[in-house]
Amino acid sequence: MNKINLVISSTYAAIISSTFVVIITIYAELSPALKDWLKSISGHHWTTKSIFTALIFALALIALYSFRKNGSDRTKQSLVLLLAFVLVGSIAITAFYTGHHFKIW
Amino acid sequence: MDIISLLQSKPVLIGLHLGFAIIGIDLFFWLLGKFKDRIGSVKNRVTIAGIGTLALISSWIAGGYYYVVYYGSLVKPIIKEGVAPWAHNIVMEAKEHIFLFVIPMAVVVFFIALMNDEEIDRSGIRKMAVWLSGTVAVLGLLIGAMGFIISAAARWGALQ
């Protein structure tokens, strides 16, 4: 087991799954058809988003870990990127729902 | 009442959601200190990160079950018709989606905990390990504060 590869792969998998959460959340609010489709899969749109997020994270982690070559050590940069994505994603989701509530969009 | 019915009841679900979250938050704060001050063995840090991650996953499942089964039909209408409909439209919507960032981040911290001090320092990620552990814990606290606002809005909505 290559621990550095595991950390980098899980970090990029977390970035991918977090990006998915932001995009699917905002897009589903703007597209009732997409929200209905998400609901039709599990009975609730949030449950489907949760399942998809977990699956995307797990699959991305396995794929990145399997195909990633050893050597280049960009662990620190990937972790900084993850923190930035989570911060921006949290602000984006909160700002979107604030604007949605006040009917800005 | 059998044990399954008890676990599926509303107060117990809320208690499990909050209780597991508090365990997860505390453990990730503890881990932050371990990373920062180079305290504890790999086994010790992996145990803390592992239990912390499992606690957050358990909080996700308990809270998610309550949200899907009870919140939408019983609590949401009270908030929406009460004095603070924004508590659902902004706070709850943000809470339920920001939560989805936390588990993958916790798993990343768990994998960092597999590394010994020499490996962490060689990779230059000690500061980031501290930041990431802290972010998991602080996001957990913020989500807890959001839950408090939502509960208060439901109480005031019901009293109206």
Side-chain angles (χ1 to χ4, degrees):
Chain A
M1 181 177 63
N2 185 321
K3 286 179 263 185
I4 288 285
N5 268 358
L6 205 50
V7 171
I8 295 179
S9 302
S10 64
T11 302
Y12 282 117
I15 290 170
I16 292 167
S17 66
S18 301
T19 306
F20 165 78
V21 169
V22 176
I23 291 171
I24 197 81
T25 299
I26 293 174
Y27 194 49
E29 287 300 328
L30 300 173
S31 165
L34 176 61
K35 202 166 183 176
D36 287 343
W37 178 76
L38 289 169
K39 191 180 173 184
S40 71
I41 293 172
S42 68
H44 197 289
H45 68 92
W46 181 81
T47 310
T48 308
K49 283 181 213 163
S50 296
I51 294 166
F52 281 1
T53 303
L55 280 175
I56 286 169
F57 177 71
L59 293 174
L61 170 58
I62 293 166
L64 289 166
Y65 185 73
S66 303
F67 296 114
R68 196 175 178 280
K69 290 175 187 168
N70 295 334
S72 69
D73 186 357
R74 298 178 61 82
T75 324
K76 188 179 174 185
Q77 289 89 333
S78 67
L79 292 171
V80 171
L81 201 61
L82 172 60
L83 274 182
F85 263 77
V86 167
L87 182 68
V88 172
S90 300
I91 292 169
I93 285 175
T94 309
F96 172 76
Y97 279 114
T98 304
H100 206 49
H101 173 71
F102 290 109
K103 301 191 185 335
I104 296 169
W105 44 72
Chain B
M1 180 183 263
D2 59 54
I3 187 73
I4 299 298
S5 305
L6 181 74
L7 289 173
Q8 289 174 333
S9 66
K10 294 180 274 295
V12 173
L13 280 171
I14 289 286
L16 290 172
H17 175 53
L18 187 63
F20 281 126
I22 289 169
I23 292 169
I25 290 164
D26 286 348
L27 289 177
F28 276 92
F29 269 133
W30 192 16
L31 197 60
L32 178 159
K34 297 234 172 220
F35 279 134
K36 183 176 177 293
D37 296 332
R38 302 166 136 264
I39 303 167
S41 62
V42 169
K43 189 181 171 185
N44 176 245
R45 292 197 290 236
V46 166
T47 305
I48 294 169
I51 296 172
T53 304
L54 286 176
L56 292 174
I57 291 171
S58 303
S59 177
W60 185 19
I61 292 168
Y65 186 86
Y66 171 83
Y67 174 71
V68 169
V69 176
Y70 299 120
Y71 176 85
S73 57
L74 299 175
V75 186
K76 180 178 158 185
I78 294 171
I79 297 175
K80 295 271 274 185
E81 289 162 21
V83 291
W86 54 267
H88 171 79
N89 296 345
I90 299 173
V91 182
M92 186 56 171
E93 294 284 12
K95 176 184 188 273
E96 72 189 57
H97 293 104
I98 291 171
F99 198 104
L100 299 177
F101 298 152
V102 175
I103 308 295
M105 268 204 303
V107 174
V108 173
V109 176
F110 173 78
F111 287 141
I112 294 173
L114 292 171
M115 300 166 75
N116 61 35
D117 281 321
E118 192 203 332
E119 290 167 325
I120 288 172
D121 287 333
R122 204 183 327 125
S123 303
I125 59 166
R126 183 166 299 281
K127 198 184 269 186
M128 289 314 300
V130 171
W131 268 97
L132 215 59
S133 304
T135 303
V136 170
V138 169
L139 268 185
L141 282 176
L142 284 175
I143 287 168
M146 289 169 150
F148 178 80
I149 292 169
I150 294 155
S151 298
R155 271 197 301 278
W156 285 105
L159 287 173
Q160 220 185 9

